Amino acid sequence: MITILVVDDDKEIANLISLYLENDGYRVLRCGNGREALKLMEEQEVNLMVLDIMMPEVDGLEVCRRVREHSTLPILMLSAKAEDMDKVLGLMTGADDYMIKPFNPMEMSARIKSLLRRSFRYNTEGKATTRPDILQIHSLEINKITHTVTVNDSPLSLTSREFDILHLLANHPGRVFRADEIFQRVWKEDCYVANNTVMVHICNLREKLEKKLGYKLIQTVWGVGYRVEE
């Protein structure tokens, strides 16, 4: 059975979410703060997390950061604030989707089903359940050990930097990476020239991928960064 962890200090909202999810056939766990959620994650297997931002002790953004250090489980983040920066912060922290309170429970249910489908497809096709050295998104295969990329078994020639950027983005589908974050992770240097350097490499990488795939794999989130969508 699929297990969903609901983390919200508002008991009425947590109960409402849990009721709808249980009616959809999910097993639901509940926590009232971030510290309790992190502890529970160590003790039980969770398939998806519904996570409120504003909570006592450890807030939702910090929980998301810590979870992303060791897990790619889908995270749907909730907030009572509607400002765009809240959404940007949530997605940059590693959340997969975002909803503003008050929300339609039926819309939440639909979004959760979509996140679970994507997660299941990734886990059955990608590195999580098959070979840990290979990532696969549809016809694209990225081999970390041999440092090679193929599309429909046809090799794609990439530079070392292009490969590292692609592997970083593909290893976290849906997550938005800022240009300076990509620079730090790939070049492992200070990021004072990150924006132009990363932009050039992303443009070259995107052009090579589109010629082989026939569609745009790497998406630009304007004013934020880049992500790979399955």
Side-chain angles (χ1 to χ4, degrees):
M1 179 179 291
I2 292 174
T3 299
I4 297 177
L5 174 59
V6 177
V7 189
D8 198 316
D9 61 330
D10 188 320
K11 291 184 178 180
E12 290 187 6
I13 291 179
N15 289 338
L16 177 64
I17 295 172
S18 300
L19 177 63
Y20 272 87
L21 295 179
E22 287 169 350
N23 286 340
D24 283 339
Y26 302 118
R27 173 176 176 250
V28 179
L29 305 175
R30 278 173 282 186
C31 294
N33 63 72
R35 193 178 305 280
E36 183 182 352
L38 291 169
K39 184 175 184 297
L40 192 149
M41 287 281 295
E42 297 176 355
E43 300 170 350
Q44 300 201 42
E45 182 178 352
V46 175
N47 303 107
L48 182 144
M49 181 186 293
V50 178
L51 178 63
D52 185 40
I53 289 182
M54 299 300 294
M55 291 187 299
E57 298 189 43
V58 180
D59 67 18
L61 294 176
E62 181 61 23
V63 171
C64 191
R65 290 190 193 97
R66 295 191 194 181
V67 169
R68 280 291 173 258
E69 291 176 358
H70 58 80
S71 174
T72 59
L73 92 160
I75 296 177
L76 174 62
M77 193 162 277
L78 307 178
S79 176
K81 297 181 179 180
E83 288 83 354
D84 287 343
M85 186 51 65
D86 287 329
K87 181 173 183 179
V88 168
L89 284 173
L91 293 174
M92 284 168 52
T93 305
D96 298 278
D97 203 352
Y98 189 97
M99 294 190 75
I100 300 293
K101 300 177 182 178
F103 50 82
N104 185 323
M106 294 182 65
E107 180 185 355
M108 169 175 279
S109 176
R111 292 199 190 191
I112 285 174
K113 289 176 182 177
S114 176
L115 289 173
L116 288 170
R117 282 196 300 269
R118 188 175 74 176
S119 175
F120 177 78
R121 185 171 68 248
Y122 172 71
N123 287 335
T124 55
E125 294 179 357
K127 72 168 190 175
T129 59
T130 54
R131 294 180 55 187
D133 54 317
I134 291 179
L135 295 175
Q136 186 166 346
I137 300 177
H138 304 296
S139 59
L140 177 72
E141 183 176 285
I142 307 167
N143 191 313
K144 180 66 173 177
I145 300 300
T146 62
H147 226 253
T148 57
V149 177
T150 59
V151 177
N152 290 321
D153 297 323
S154 175
L156 178 63
S157 178
L158 299 179
T159 68
S160 177
R161 298 296 193 197
E162 290 168 352
F163 178 90
D164 289 341
I165 292 172
L166 176 60
H167 189 273
L168 173 66
L169 298 178
N171 200 34
H172 302 84
R175 176 178 172 182
V176 181
F177 284 87
R178 303 186 313 274
D180 62 331
E181 187 177 4
I182 294 173
F183 190 89
Q184 289 172 340
R185 292 198 179 205
V186 172
W187 278 262
K188 303 186 187 304
E189 299 175 7
D190 292 335
C191 57
Y192 67 99
V193 294
N195 288 332
N196 289 338
T197 302
V198 171
M199 182 179 66
V200 170
H201 281 77
I202 289 285
C203 287
N204 292 337
L205 174 59
R206 182 181 281 154
E207 182 178 356
K208 292 179 181 180
L209 287 168
E210 286 186 32
K211 286 182 179 178
K212 284 282 190 178
L213 293 170
Y215 65 92
K216 184 178 292 186
L217 178 70
I218 300 177
Q219 305 290 327
T220 299
V221 181
W222 296 108
V224 185
Y226 306 93
R227 69 182 175 198
V228 159
E229 290 288 0
E230 293 182 298

